[in-house]
């Protein structure tokens, strides 16, 4: 069963065709990163207009690369939220039009939940129950997963997301955007032992993340040392920052694991999952199987939307022809989120 996935929640327009939830027939991603780089972050109005320019062509290209036409598609899955409202509107409106015109069912997909399916496409089905960490530019959530669509939110960030913190620290050091890959590259040449970082939300019973204190510490360090910051000192500072930022993820996963000992494995998803130091730390500290996505499915893509859409469709969570049975409200970020 083929699902057409459409993603436009932030600064990537993406289209994919995925068979049976995991076999990727096509996955096209058009990143706007070069357009936004000059501003040091995503400009929502520009993002929406960039999506609008390319979405129709990209859907045609995605179908053609998969060697299918609309008659071969069972349903259209589209990112409903969370995300930038103008950007989301482009994808949702396009998908609604396509569904109305073609008679296909429409499946609204939560972008954050779908990231987990980025760790599943192209792989064997995981063993349930499992834990899943979504760690991206907008979210730092741990879920307990009983099935591909049953997610219980166990931990979330009180303030900044982990990836957002990488981006802000990179900006502070004048390293460009997006910050995660640049910080990782620079940190590789540094020694984290040469710089002490504060430990955030140390109490292991607290199932929350917090990154704003670490960010403020970095702002103050930069202010204090800016006249003496040699390249090797910057590398040491970034290595220490990275280890603390990633260490918090590992520690909270360990806490949730103690609460849910029945979890058989851990899935990691989202942009920060691309970080190789994170993969190393997880291998050192976690003693159950950990599954990371292929690098191309860490950051935003539509294969993950189609992957999740497949399972939602199987459980009957698709729209009727007039879309009246779906709340098109976008999801909020924290404990109020719909599961
Ligand atoms: O999942 P994603 O593409 O978009 C969101 O839904 O947010 O994640 C983007 C985030 C950015 O904050 C970026 O800096 C971070 O993922 N990121 C990384 C790395 N690659 C991307 N963070 C740390 N290390 C990386 N290698
Ligand atoms: Zn994302």
């Amino acid at each position: 069963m083929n699902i057409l996935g459409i993603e436009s929640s932030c600064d990537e327009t993406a289209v994919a065709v995925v068979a049976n939830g995991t076999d990727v027939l096509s996955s096209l991603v058009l990143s706007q990163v070069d357009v936004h780089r000059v501003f040091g972050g995503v400009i929502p109005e520009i993002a929406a207009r960039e999506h609008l320019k390319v979405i129709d062509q990209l859907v045609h290209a995605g179908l053609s690369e998969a060697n299918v036409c609309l008659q071969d598609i069972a349903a259209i899955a589209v990112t409903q939220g969370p995300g930038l409202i103008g950007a989301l509107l482009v994808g949702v409106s396009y998908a609604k039009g396509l569904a109305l015109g073609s008679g296909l069912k429409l499946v609204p997909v939560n972008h954050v939940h779908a990231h987990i399916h980025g760790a599943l496409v192209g792989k064997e089905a995981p063993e349930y129950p499992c834990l899943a960490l979504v760690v991206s530019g907008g979210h730092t959530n741990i879920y307990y997963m009983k099935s591909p669509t049953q997610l219980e939110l166990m931990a979330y960030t009180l303030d900044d997301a982990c990836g957002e913190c990488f981006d802000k620290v990179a900006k502070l050091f004048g390293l460009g955007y997006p910050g995660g890959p640049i910080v990782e590259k620079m940190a590789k040449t540094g020694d984290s032992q040469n710089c002490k970082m504060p430990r955030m939300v140390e109490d292991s019973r607290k199932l929350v993340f917090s990154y704003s204190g670490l960010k403020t510490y970095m702002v103050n360090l930069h202010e204090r040392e800016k006249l003496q910051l040699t390249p090797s000192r910057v590398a040491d500072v970034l290595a220490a920052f990275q280890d603390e930022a990633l260490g918090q993820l590992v520690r909270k996963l360990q806490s949730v694991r103690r609460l849910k000992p029945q979890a058989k494995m851990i899935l990691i998803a989202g942009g920060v999952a691309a970080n190789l130091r994170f993969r190393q730390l997880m291998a050192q500290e976690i003693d159950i199987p950990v599954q990371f996505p292929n690098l191309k499915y860490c950051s935003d893509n539509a294969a993950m939307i189609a992957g999740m859409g497949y399972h939602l469709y199987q459980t009957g969570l698709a729209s009727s022809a007039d879309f009246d049975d779906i709340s098109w409200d976008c999801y909020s970020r924290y404990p109020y989120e719909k599961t």
Side-chain angles (χ1 to χ4, degrees):
M1 178 191 289
N2 298 329
I3 304 288
L4 171 67
I6 299 178
E7 154 65 32
S8 72
S9 64
C10 190
D11 60 343
E12 271 100 14
T13 324
V15 170
V17 178
V18 175
N20 305 322
T22 53
D23 298 338
V24 182
L25 304 185
S26 68
S27 176
L28 303 177
V29 180
L30 266 185
S31 172
Q32 304 173 2
V33 75
D34 290 336
V35 180
H36 297 288
R37 185 173 281 122
V38 285
F39 304 102
V42 178
I43 307 295
E45 174 74 12
I46 296 177
R49 288 170 190 274
E50 290 295 313
H51 289 307
L52 199 52
K53 276 189 208 163
V54 299
I55 193 154
D56 186 46
Q57 280 159 290
L58 203 64
V59 168
H60 282 97
L63 291 168
S64 137
E65 189 168 312
N67 211 8
V68 296
C69 55
L70 281 176
Q71 282 89 327
D72 304 316
I73 299 290
I76 302 167
V78 63
T79 303
Q80 174 184 2
L84 305 171
I85 187 61
L88 287 166
L89 270 171
V90 175
V92 168
S93 310
Y94 184 92
K96 276 188 175 182
L98 194 59
L100 272 177
S102 61
L104 288 171
K105 294 262 187 190
L106 191 61
V107 185
V109 175
N110 178 315
H111 176 95
V112 184
H113 298 174
H115 262 296
I116 300 167
H117 288 263
L120 300 178
V121 286
K123 310 224 168 157
E124 295 281 303
E127 284 195 77
Y128 296 102
C130 62
L131 299 179
L133 168 72
V134 180
V135 59
S136 68
H139 295 83
T140 314
N141 291 356
I142 300 176
Y143 296 94
Y144 175 64
M145 259 180 112
K146 284 197 227 150
S147 77
T149 56
Q150 286 177 291
L151 292 97
E152 182 188 341
L153 183 64
M154 301 292 299
Y156 55 90
T157 178
L158 291 176
D159 38 59
D160 288 0
C162 181
E164 180 182 3
C165 190
F166 272 88
D167 293 336
K168 288 178 175 168
V169 166
K171 193 170 179 181
L172 178 71
F173 282 79
L175 298 175
Y177 163 87
I182 313 171
V183 169
E184 180 181 9
K185 191 164 167 220
M186 298 208 52
K188 234 181 245 155
T189 60
D191 181 351
S192 60
Q193 298 303 316
N194 292 339
C195 181
K196 201 166 160 37
M197 285 286 136
R199 181 153 287 191
M200 300 297 142
V201 277
E202 199 165 7
D203 184 344
S204 62
R205 289 163 306 176
K206 284 198 179 149
L207 292 184
V208 286
F209 294 98
S210 171
Y211 282 97
S212 72
L214 187 60
K215 175 187 66 186
T216 306
Y217 183 85
M218 292 297 281
V219 170
N220 292 336
L221 181 148
H222 186 264
E223 186 57 32
R224 212 171 45 239
E225 296 192 17
K226 67 180 172 208
L227 299 177
Q228 313 87 278
L229 274 175
T230 60
S232 85
R233 176 67 182 157
V234 170
D236 287 349
V237 167
L238 292 180
F241 159 76
Q242 175 174 257
D243 275 8
E244 173 49 33
L246 301 175
Q248 194 182 133
L249 302 174
V250 177
R251 289 195 303 275
K252 294 298 165 189
L253 276 168
Q254 283 166 330
S255 297
V256 174
R257 202 166 119 50
R258 278 191 287 276
L259 276 181
K260 298 284 189 189
Q262 65 275 41
K264 297 193 175 87
M265 61 187 296
I266 301 178
L267 305 171
I268 309 285
V272 183
N275 187 295
L276 297 181
R277 174 71 179 146
F278 183 35
R279 294 178 184 219
Q280 213 177 35
L281 290 173
M282 287 293 288
Q284 280 165 16
E285 306 291 336
I286 302 282
D287 57 3
I288 55 172
V290 178
Q291 186 164 311
F292 281 87
N294 292 333
L295 283 182
K296 64 179 168 183
Y297 302 126
C298 288
S299 50
D300 291 349
N301 64 85
M304 67 187 202
I305 305 299
M308 173 117 206
Y310 167 79
H311 292 286
L312 292 169
Y313 183 65
Q314 296 279 75
T315 43
L317 294 169
S319 72
S320 60
D322 56 8
F323 311 125
D324 269 0
D325 48 351
I326 295 178
S327 158
W328 287 101
D329 189 13
C330 289
Y331 305 96
S332 47
R333 276 175 76 163
Y334 296 138
Y336 321 107
E337 79 164 11
K338 295 171 186 170
T339 53

